[in-house]
Amino acid sequence: MTKLLLLFSLPFFGSRQTVQVLVALGCSAPAYMQNQYRQMLIRDVLPDLDRALMSQPLTLILAPITSRSYTAPIKVFQTPNPLTTPFFALERYRVSFNQRVLRGFNQLSQWASADCIPGSEIIAALKAAGQRVKGPGEILVLSHGFEQSTLMNLYDYYLNLQSPRVRARLLEKVKTAIGLPDLKGQEVCFAGLTSGSGSEASARLTSALELFWNQLIEASGGRLVGYSYSPQLCGFL
């Protein structure tokens, strides 16, 4: 987490930094995992952003990963520019920042629960994120890593995702069906991972998933900087 704080403490002379948090909600993740994602936001993400907004203007975007990620509603939080905002006004905003973000998270969670259709469109969520922000930025993906959509079902243990040929075929399918996300200049980190449940779940499957997402993000112009169970292990957190 120190790395993110140092990043936001550099003298950007008022330039705005954008962080997007894509989080699996509704029927895209079990309730207990969604609660864990909320705690990750509180424990691992917001404290650094809370401190950083005192020295740099930030844009935080919360976007749900669901079966309709591309058209799902989002929440956008733009902090004041500390170079042009009186200190006490900025401090008042900082005090309420966490509450605003968590209120937005809860609203998105309620929407996703009401629109609960099985599926997890992670690729569509990344595509929407790439269209929202052009150029440098950070994308934190709070998800189990299993794409379950009309494009593919990565939860299929017999998919043989370890095979380079299979991963190449899946990437080609994405290109043909919807096109790759535009992630040029974006750093992407997956957190909250699991290798699934049952006897077939293994570290080997998790490694294969990481290979797939690394290839997709790299082919999209971005860079995968972390792939783990916690945002604390992300390259930019």
Side-chain angles (χ1 to χ4, degrees), residues 16-17 49 52-54 56-60 77-82 85 90 93 97:
R16 182 168 291 276
Q17 184 74 15
L49 297 181
L53 67 83
M54 297 299 290
Q56 180 186 3
L58 307 175
T59 296
L60 172 64
F77 306 89
Q78 293 197 341
T79 70
N81 189 335
T85 304
L90 190 62
Y93 183 91
F97 179 68

Side-chain angles (χ1 to χ4, degrees), residues 109-124:
S109 180
Q110 292 172 3
W111 172 86
S113 297
D115 190 54
C116 201
I117 302 173
S120 184
E121 294 186 343
I122 303 172
I123 297 173

Side-chain angles (χ1 to χ4, degrees), residues 25-57:
L25 296 173
C27 284
S28 291
Y32 78 91
M33 290 183 65
Q34 296 180 49
N35 290 333
Q36 288 179 4
Y37 297 153
R38 190 176 188 276
Q39 288 305 310
M40 288 178 186
L41 192 65
I42 295 172
R43 182 183 65 245
D44 302 325
V45 178
L46 288 179
D48 276 349
L49 297 181
D50 188 61
R51 289 187 292 268
L53 67 83
M54 297 299 290
S55 60
Q56 180 186 3

